[in-house]
Amino acid sequence: MADDKGLTPRAEDFSTWYTDVIARAELADYSPVRGCMVIRPGGYAIWEHMQAALDRMFKESGHQNAYFPLFIPQSFLAREAEHVEGFAPETAVVTQGGGKELEEPLVVRPTSETIIYASFAKWIQSWRDLPMLINQWCNVVRWEMRTRLFLRTTEFLWQEGHTAHATADEAEAEALQMLKIYRVFMEDHMAMPVVTGLKTDSERFAGAVRTYACEGLMQDNKALQAATSHNLGQNFARAFDVQFQTAEGGLDYVWSTSWGASTRLIGGLIMTHGDDAGLVAPPQLAQYQVVIVPIYRKDEERSVVLEVAHDLREELAANGFRVHLDARDGLKPGAKYYEWEGKGVPLRIEIGPRDIAAGTLMLARRIGGKESIPRDAAADRVGVELEAIQRSLLETARERREANSLRGATKDEFIGYLEGGGGFVYAGWCGSAECEQTIKDQTKATIRVLPDDEFRSDTPPSTCVWCGSPSTAEAIWARAY
RNA sequence: CGGGGCGUAGCGCAGCCCGGUAGCGCGCCUGCUUUGGGAGCAGGAGGUCCCCGGUUCGAAUCCGGGCGCCCCGACCA
C-alpha cells in the first residue's frame, strides 16, 4: 500500500490498487503455495452470496447439483483430442498415493467434462433419460504461469454445469439459456454490465463447437471474461460413448453443453465498482449491507447509545437486512468509518446522543451522500437506499462502459483508441484468423466476442477494420485479463 | 520461461557500502484519559535478520550456492 492509511490510487497504478483493495477489504490473502490464495471471510461471504443467487437460478431452470471426484484418470483427459491439447499443459498430476507409485497417474481436475461423461455414459440409455441437467460446485486446478488474486489462481472455486440433450437444437438452446442466466446474475446481483456473444475459434473452449461468453469492461478498460457457456456438440459424447436410444428406436450420441463461472467474478466485482477508498460492494452481494457505528463520550452515553443501536440492529435484521453493529470500544468512530468504507459496506448508520435526542439517525452511503433521517423510518429508508445503490452501481458502470466504447472506427482510429488505453472497440471483421492474430500482435487486443444482436451497432460494419475485405461479423476488440 | 524488484517483529521499512549488544513507524497487550471522520500518554510483549556453506576472534552486514515471493511480458476462467 502507498502508506498505512491510503490505498494506491487507481490512476497511479491500477494493479497495485487492485491488490491494495483486496488487502484492505480483507477479501483474500496469499498462501504458502505459489499461485494459490486464501479466501478470507470477507471474500468468502461475497462468494456465498454469489453461489446462493446462481444456485437458485440454476435450480429454477431445472438443474440439479451433484458432485464428481477431484481426481481424474489421466487417460480420460486424453480421450477428446482437442480437450487434452488444451488442458494437458496446465494440469497437476498425482503419481503417488499411500506411499506407492500409482498404476495410472491421476489428474487434478482442471474441469470435469471427462469424468462426468464417464458417468453420463452409465446413466443415459434412452431419450427418456434426457435432458440430463447437472451442476457441481467445486474447486479446480490449472497450473497457470502467472497468477493474480481472484483473477487467475492455480486453484479456484467455481461451478460447472454439464448437460446432455437429445438434439443439437436443445443443446444450443441450453447454452444460450445459461449465457442469459449469467448475464442476468451479473446485472441484477453484481451490478456489472456485460456484453454477451460468441467467441471466435481462437478463444473457443478446447473441445467445444461453440463458446459463448459474458464480457465486462473493467475500470482500467481491460475486458474480463466473466463466464462462459459452451455448446459441445457430440464431441464428448463420442469420446465417452454416451449414446441413447431415440424415440424412433435409433441410436444416437447425446448433444451436450457445459458452462461455468468462478471466483474470478469477485475480481470483476472489485474492478467494476471499487474506488480509491476501497471496495464498493453491491447490496445484493455485500457481506454486510448496513453497519451501525455507535458514538458516545461518557459511560452514561455509551449504555444509552448501545441500547438504541442494538434495538436498531434487531429491527433491521428482522426486516431481512444483513446488518452489523460495530460496538468495539476504544476505536474512534472515524476509524470505523474508514474501515467499513474500505470493506465496501453500502450503508452506514451513525447513531449518537444528538441523534437519540432528536429521534434521528445519520445515514451515509458508500457511494456518497450523508443525511439525517427519522429513527422510525430506518427500515423503510434502508430498503429504499439499498435498491437505489444497487441500481446506481449498474447504471454508473454501464455509462462508464459506453463512454469507453468506440464504434465505426477506421483502422487508424482503431489502433489509436487501443493504444490510448481505450476499452471496447466495435468493428467489422473478415472472419480470418490471420487478421485476428495480426491485430493481437500489433495492438495486444483480442476479439472478446462477436456480440449478440442487441449489442451490435445500428449500422453494421461492411468491411474488416484491418484488411478491408467484406465483413462477416461485427466484433468487439479489447485488451483483456 | 525472459525482464525488474524484494526477502530483517503481525504489516511497512531502516541498518548492509565501511563486520562489533538488532532498530523505527504502524499494529498488538495492560492501565488511565478519550470517542460526531483514522485518539493521547505511560508501561509492555514480540526476531532461526529466507536457507546452506565459506571467510573471520566475531557475519543481518563480506564471499559462494540455493530457495521463495511480488510486479511487468509470452499462455489462460
Short mmCIF file of all heavy atoms in Angstrom, two decimals, chain A residues 17-57:
data_model
loop_
_atom_site.label_atom_id
_atom_site.label_comp_id
_atom_site.label_asym_id
_atom_site.label_seq_id
_atom_site.Cartn_x
_atom_site.Cartn_y
_atom_site.Cartn_z
N TRP A 17 -3.40 -0.92 -7.01
CA TRP A 17 -4.66 -0.54 -6.35
C TRP A 17 -5.51 -1.79 -6.10
O TRP A 17 -6.04 -1.99 -5.01
CB TRP A 17 -5.44 0.45 -7.23
CG TRP A 17 -6.87 0.62 -6.82
CD1 TRP A 17 -7.35 1.43 -5.82
CD2 TRP A 17 -8.02 -0.06 -7.35
NE1 TRP A 17 -8.71 1.30 -5.70
CE2 TRP A 17 -9.15 0.40 -6.62
CE3 TRP A 17 -8.21 -1.00 -8.36
CZ2 TRP A 17 -10.45 -0.07 -6.89
CZ3 TRP A 17 -9.49 -1.46 -8.63
CH2 TRP A 17 -10.59 -0.99 -7.90
N TYR A 18 -5.59 -2.64 -7.13
CA TYR A 18 -6.40 -3.86 -7.03
C TYR A 18 -5.94 -4.74 -5.86
O TYR A 18 -6.74 -5.19 -5.04
CB TYR A 18 -6.32 -4.62 -8.35
CG TYR A 18 -7.01 -5.96 -8.36
CD1 TYR A 18 -8.40 -6.05 -8.51
CD2 TYR A 18 -6.29 -7.15 -8.20
CE1 TYR A 18 -9.03 -7.28 -8.51
CE2 TYR A 18 -6.92 -8.37 -8.21
CZ TYR A 18 -8.28 -8.43 -8.36
OH TYR A 18 -8.92 -9.65 -8.35
N THR A 19 -4.65 -4.95 -5.76
CA THR A 19 -4.12 -5.76 -4.66
C THR A 19 -4.33 -5.06 -3.32
O THR A 19 -4.62 -5.71 -2.32
CB THR A 19 -2.61 -6.02 -4.83
OG1 THR A 19 -2.20 -5.58 -6.11
CG2 THR A 19 -2.29 -7.46 -4.68
N ASP A 20 -4.18 -3.75 -3.31
CA ASP A 20 -4.41 -2.99 -2.08
C ASP A 20 -5.85 -3.15 -1.59
O ASP A 20 -6.09 -3.31 -0.39
CB ASP A 20 -4.15 -1.49 -2.31
CG ASP A 20 -2.65 -1.17 -2.35
OD1 ASP A 20 -1.85 -2.09 -2.13
OD2 ASP A 20 -2.32 0.00 -2.60
N VAL A 21 -6.79 -3.09 -2.51
CA VAL A 21 -8.20 -3.20 -2.12
C VAL A 21 -8.46 -4.56 -1.48
O VAL A 21 -9.14 -4.65 -0.45
CB VAL A 21 -9.13 -3.03 -3.35
CG1 VAL A 21 -10.58 -3.38 -2.98
CG2 VAL A 21 -9.06 -1.60 -3.86
N ILE A 22 -7.88 -5.59 -2.06
CA ILE A 22 -8.10 -6.94 -1.53
C ILE A 22 -7.55 -7.05 -0.12
O ILE A 22 -8.16 -7.65 0.76
CB ILE A 22 -7.48 -7.98 -2.47
CG1 ILE A 22 -8.31 -8.04 -3.76
CG2 ILE A 22 -7.42 -9.36 -1.81
CD1 ILE A 22 -7.69 -8.86 -4.86
N ALA A 23 -6.39 -6.42 0.10
CA ALA A 23 -5.80 -6.44 1.44
C ALA A 23 -6.65 -5.61 2.40
O ALA A 23 -6.98 -6.05 3.49
CB ALA A 23 -4.37 -5.92 1.39
N ARG A 24 -7.00 -4.41 1.96
CA ARG A 24 -7.75 -3.50 2.82
C ARG A 24 -9.11 -4.09 3.20
O ARG A 24 -9.54 -3.99 4.35
CB ARG A 24 -7.94 -2.16 2.10
CG ARG A 24 -8.90 -1.20 2.75
CD ARG A 24 -8.40 -0.74 4.11
NE ARG A 24 -7.13 -0.05 4.00
CZ ARG A 24 -7.00 1.27 3.85
NH1 ARG A 24 -8.05 2.03 3.81
NH2 ARG A 24 -5.81 1.80 3.76
N ALA A 25 -9.77 -4.69 2.24
CA ALA A 25 -11.11 -5.23 2.49
C ALA A 25 -11.05 -6.63 3.09
O ALA A 25 -12.08 -7.23 3.37
CB ALA A 25 -11.92 -5.24 1.19
N GLU A 26 -9.84 -7.14 3.26
CA GLU A 26 -9.65 -8.48 3.82
C GLU A 26 -10.43 -9.54 3.06
O GLU A 26 -11.15 -10.36 3.63
CB GLU A 26 -10.02 -8.49 5.32
CG GLU A 26 -9.11 -7.56 6.12
CD GLU A 26 -9.39 -7.56 7.62
OE1 GLU A 26 -10.40 -8.15 8.04
OE2 GLU A 26 -8.59 -6.96 8.36
N LEU A 27 -10.29 -9.49 1.73
CA LEU A 27 -11.01 -10.44 0.88
C LEU A 27 -10.22 -11.74 0.71
O LEU A 27 -10.79 -12.82 0.68
CB LEU A 27 -11.27 -9.83 -0.51
CG LEU A 27 -12.13 -8.57 -0.52
CD1 LEU A 27 -12.23 -8.02 -1.94
CD2 LEU A 27 -13.52 -8.85 0.04
N ALA A 28 -8.91 -11.59 0.57
CA ALA A 28 -8.08 -12.78 0.33
C ALA A 28 -6.67 -12.50 0.79
O ALA A 28 -6.29 -11.36 1.04
CB ALA A 28 -8.08 -13.16 -1.15
N ASP A 29 -5.90 -13.57 0.86
CA ASP A 29 -4.53 -13.47 1.32
C ASP A 29 -3.69 -14.43 0.48
O ASP A 29 -4.21 -15.39 -0.09
CB ASP A 29 -4.49 -13.89 2.80
CG ASP A 29 -3.34 -13.23 3.54
OD1 ASP A 29 -2.49 -12.60 2.88
OD2 ASP A 29 -3.31 -13.36 4.77
N TYR A 30 -2.41 -14.18 0.41
CA TYR A 30 -1.52 -15.10 -0.29
C TYR A 30 -1.34 -16.35 0.55
O TYR A 30 -1.45 -16.32 1.78
CB TYR A 30 -0.19 -14.44 -0.59
CG TYR A 30 -0.34 -13.28 -1.54
CD1 TYR A 30 -0.40 -11.97 -1.09
CD2 TYR A 30 -0.49 -13.52 -2.91
CE1 TYR A 30 -0.57 -10.92 -1.97
CE2 TYR A 30 -0.66 -12.47 -3.80
CZ TYR A 30 -0.70 -11.17 -3.32
OH TYR A 30 -0.89 -10.14 -4.19
N SER A 31 -1.06 -17.44 -0.11
CA SER A 31 -0.91 -18.71 0.60
C SER A 31 0.55 -19.16 0.54
O SER A 31 1.33 -18.62 -0.23
CB SER A 31 -1.79 -19.76 -0.04
OG SER A 31 -1.08 -20.42 -1.07
N PRO A 32 0.88 -20.15 1.35
CA PRO A 32 2.26 -20.67 1.30
C PRO A 32 2.56 -21.32 -0.05
O PRO A 32 3.71 -21.52 -0.38
CB PRO A 32 2.28 -21.72 2.42
CG PRO A 32 1.10 -21.40 3.29
CD PRO A 32 0.08 -20.79 2.40
N VAL A 33 1.51 -21.68 -0.78
CA VAL A 33 1.72 -22.33 -2.07
C VAL A 33 1.61 -21.30 -3.19
O VAL A 33 0.62 -20.58 -3.29
CB VAL A 33 0.69 -23.46 -2.29
CG1 VAL A 33 0.93 -24.13 -3.64
CG2 VAL A 33 0.75 -24.45 -1.15
N ARG A 34 2.62 -21.27 -4.00
CA ARG A 34 2.68 -20.32 -5.10
C ARG A 34 1.41 -20.37 -5.97
O ARG A 34 0.96 -21.44 -6.37
CB ARG A 34 3.87 -20.68 -5.98
CG ARG A 34 4.17 -19.73 -7.09
CD ARG A 34 5.09 -20.37 -8.11
NE ARG A 34 4.50 -20.28 -9.44
CZ ARG A 34 4.51 -19.15 -10.15
NH1 ARG A 34 5.06 -18.08 -9.69
NH2 ARG A 34 3.94 -19.13 -11.33
N GLY A 35 0.85 -19.19 -6.21
CA GLY A 35 -0.28 -19.12 -7.13
C GLY A 35 -1.62 -19.44 -6.50
O GLY A 35 -2.65 -19.31 -7.15
N CYS A 36 -1.60 -19.91 -5.26
CA CYS A 36 -2.86 -20.21 -4.59
C CYS A 36 -3.22 -19.07 -3.65
O CYS A 36 -2.39 -18.26 -3.30
CB CYS A 36 -2.75 -21.51 -3.79
SG CYS A 36 -2.51 -22.95 -4.85
N MET A 37 -4.48 -19.02 -3.26
CA MET A 37 -4.89 -17.94 -2.37
C MET A 37 -5.76 -18.48 -1.24
O MET A 37 -6.39 -19.51 -1.37
CB MET A 37 -5.66 -16.86 -3.12
CG MET A 37 -7.03 -17.29 -3.61
SD MET A 37 -7.94 -15.89 -4.31
CE MET A 37 -9.18 -16.81 -5.25
N VAL A 38 -5.72 -17.73 -0.16
CA VAL A 38 -6.64 -17.98 0.93
C VAL A 38 -7.79 -17.00 0.76
O VAL A 38 -7.55 -15.79 0.62
CB VAL A 38 -5.96 -17.73 2.29
CG1 VAL A 38 -6.97 -17.85 3.43
CG2 VAL A 38 -4.79 -18.69 2.48
N ILE A 39 -9.00 -17.49 0.70
CA ILE A 39 -10.14 -16.59 0.62
C ILE A 39 -10.59 -16.31 2.04
O ILE A 39 -10.96 -17.23 2.78
CB ILE A 39 -11.30 -17.21 -0.19
CG1 ILE A 39 -10.80 -17.59 -1.59
CG2 ILE A 39 -12.46 -16.23 -0.29
CD1 ILE A 39 -11.85 -18.27 -2.45
N ARG A 40 -10.50 -15.07 2.43
CA ARG A 40 -10.82 -14.71 3.82
C ARG A 40 -12.33 -14.57 3.98
O ARG A 40 -13.07 -14.50 3.00
CB ARG A 40 -10.11 -13.40 4.18
CG ARG A 40 -8.60 -13.49 3.97
CD ARG A 40 -7.90 -12.23 4.38
NE ARG A 40 -8.00 -12.02 5.83
CZ ARG A 40 -7.38 -11.05 6.48
NH1 ARG A 40 -6.64 -10.18 5.81
NH2 ARG A 40 -7.52 -10.93 7.78
N PRO A 41 -12.79 -14.51 5.23
CA PRO A 41 -14.25 -14.45 5.46
C PRO A 41 -14.95 -13.36 4.65
O PRO A 41 -16.04 -13.57 4.12
CB PRO A 41 -14.34 -14.19 6.96
CG PRO A 41 -13.13 -14.86 7.52
CD PRO A 41 -12.04 -14.64 6.50
N GLY A 42 -14.31 -12.20 4.55
CA GLY A 42 -14.95 -11.10 3.80
C GLY A 42 -15.14 -11.44 2.34
O GLY A 42 -16.14 -11.06 1.73
N GLY A 43 -14.18 -12.12 1.75
CA GLY A 43 -14.29 -12.52 0.35
C GLY A 43 -15.22 -13.71 0.19
O GLY A 43 -16.01 -13.79 -0.76
N TYR A 44 -15.13 -14.62 1.14
CA TYR A 44 -15.95 -15.83 1.03
C TYR A 44 -17.44 -15.50 1.19
O TYR A 44 -18.28 -16.14 0.55
CB TYR A 44 -15.50 -16.87 2.05
CG TYR A 44 -15.91 -18.26 1.65
CD1 TYR A 44 -15.21 -18.95 0.67
CD2 TYR A 44 -17.05 -18.86 2.20
CE1 TYR A 44 -15.60 -20.21 0.25
CE2 TYR A 44 -17.45 -20.12 1.80
CZ TYR A 44 -16.72 -20.79 0.82
OH TYR A 44 -17.12 -22.03 0.41
N ALA A 45 -17.74 -14.50 2.00
CA ALA A 45 -19.15 -14.11 2.17
C ALA A 45 -19.72 -13.65 0.82
O ALA A 45 -20.86 -13.98 0.47
CB ALA A 45 -19.27 -13.00 3.20
N ILE A 46 -18.93 -12.90 0.08
CA ILE A 46 -19.39 -12.45 -1.23
C ILE A 46 -19.61 -13.65 -2.14
O ILE A 46 -20.62 -13.75 -2.85
CB ILE A 46 -18.37 -11.48 -1.86
CG1 ILE A 46 -18.35 -10.18 -1.06
CG2 ILE A 46 -18.69 -11.22 -3.32
CD1 ILE A 46 -17.29 -9.19 -1.50
N TRP A 47 -18.67 -14.59 -2.10
CA TRP A 47 -18.80 -15.80 -2.91
C TRP A 47 -20.06 -16.58 -2.52
O TRP A 47 -20.78 -17.08 -3.37
CB TRP A 47 -17.55 -16.68 -2.76
CG TRP A 47 -17.57 -17.96 -3.52
CD1 TRP A 47 -17.45 -19.21 -3.02
CD2 TRP A 47 -17.72 -18.10 -4.94
NE1 TRP A 47 -17.52 -20.15 -4.03
CE2 TRP A 47 -17.69 -19.49 -5.22
CE3 TRP A 47 -17.89 -17.22 -6.00
CZ2 TRP A 47 -17.81 -20.00 -6.52
CZ3 TRP A 47 -18.02 -17.72 -7.29
CH2 TRP A 47 -17.98 -19.10 -7.54
N GLU A 48 -20.32 -16.67 -1.22
CA GLU A 48 -21.53 -17.40 -0.78
C GLU A 48 -22.80 -16.75 -1.32
O GLU A 48 -23.76 -17.43 -1.69
CB GLU A 48 -21.58 -17.47 0.75
CG GLU A 48 -20.59 -18.46 1.32
CD GLU A 48 -20.63 -18.52 2.84
OE1 GLU A 48 -20.58 -17.45 3.48
OE2 GLU A 48 -20.73 -19.62 3.37
N HIS A 49 -22.80 -15.43 -1.36
CA HIS A 49 -23.99 -14.76 -1.90
C HIS A 49 -24.10 -14.95 -3.40
O HIS A 49 -25.20 -15.07 -3.94
CB HIS A 49 -23.98 -13.28 -1.52
CG HIS A 49 -24.26 -13.05 -0.06
ND1 HIS A 49 -23.40 -12.36 0.78
CD2 HIS A 49 -25.28 -13.47 0.71
CE1 HIS A 49 -23.89 -12.36 2.00
NE2 HIS A 49 -25.03 -13.02 1.99
N MET A 50 -22.96 -14.99 -4.05
CA MET A 50 -22.97 -15.30 -5.49
C MET A 50 -23.50 -16.70 -5.72
O MET A 50 -24.36 -16.94 -6.58
CB MET A 50 -21.55 -15.19 -6.07
CG MET A 50 -21.03 -13.76 -6.18
SD MET A 50 -19.33 -13.77 -6.82
CE MET A 50 -19.18 -12.02 -7.30
N GLN A 51 -22.98 -17.63 -4.93
CA GLN A 51 -23.41 -19.02 -5.06
C GLN A 51 -24.90 -19.15 -4.84
O GLN A 51 -25.59 -19.84 -5.60
CB GLN A 51 -22.70 -19.87 -4.01
CG GLN A 51 -21.28 -20.23 -4.32
CD GLN A 51 -20.74 -21.20 -3.28
OE1 GLN A 51 -20.67 -20.87 -2.10
NE2 GLN A 51 -20.38 -22.38 -3.71
N ALA A 52 -25.38 -18.49 -3.80
CA ALA A 52 -26.79 -18.64 -3.45
C ALA A 52 -27.68 -18.17 -4.60
O ALA A 52 -28.66 -18.83 -4.97
CB ALA A 52 -27.11 -17.86 -2.18
N ALA A 53 -27.31 -17.03 -5.19
CA ALA A 53 -28.13 -16.47 -6.26
C ALA A 53 -28.06 -17.34 -7.51
O ALA A 53 -29.09 -17.68 -8.11
CB ALA A 53 -27.66 -15.05 -6.58
N LEU A 54 -26.85 -17.73 -7.89
CA LEU A 54 -26.70 -18.56 -9.09
C LEU A 54 -27.36 -19.93 -8.88
O LEU A 54 -28.07 -20.43 -9.76
CB LEU A 54 -25.22 -18.75 -9.42
CG LEU A 54 -24.54 -17.56 -10.10
CD1 LEU A 54 -23.03 -17.77 -10.16
CD2 LEU A 54 -25.10 -17.34 -11.51
N ASP A 55 -27.14 -20.49 -7.71
CA ASP A 55 -27.68 -21.83 -7.44
C ASP A 55 -29.21 -21.83 -7.57
O ASP A 55 -29.79 -22.75 -8.13
CB ASP A 55 -27.26 -22.29 -6.04
CG ASP A 55 -27.36 -23.80 -5.90
OD1 ASP A 55 -26.64 -24.50 -6.62
OD2 ASP A 55 -28.17 -24.26 -5.07
N ARG A 56 -29.80 -20.76 -7.06
CA ARG A 56 -31.25 -20.66 -7.17
C ARG A 56 -31.68 -20.57 -8.64
O ARG A 56 -32.62 -21.23 -9.07
CB ARG A 56 -31.73 -19.42 -6.40
CG ARG A 56 -33.22 -19.25 -6.38
CD ARG A 56 -33.66 -18.12 -5.44
NE ARG A 56 -32.84 -16.91 -5.55
CZ ARG A 56 -32.87 -16.06 -6.57
NH1 ARG A 56 -33.67 -16.29 -7.59
NH2 ARG A 56 -32.10 -14.99 -6.56
N MET A 57 -30.94 -19.79 -9.40
CA MET A 57 -31.29 -19.65 -10.81
C MET A 57 -31.09 -20.96 -11.57
O MET A 57 -31.87 -21.30 -12.46
CB MET A 57 -30.43 -18.54 -11.44
CG MET A 57 -30.74 -17.16 -10.87
SD MET A 57 -29.50 -15.92 -11.33
CE MET A 57 -30.30 -15.11 -12.69
#
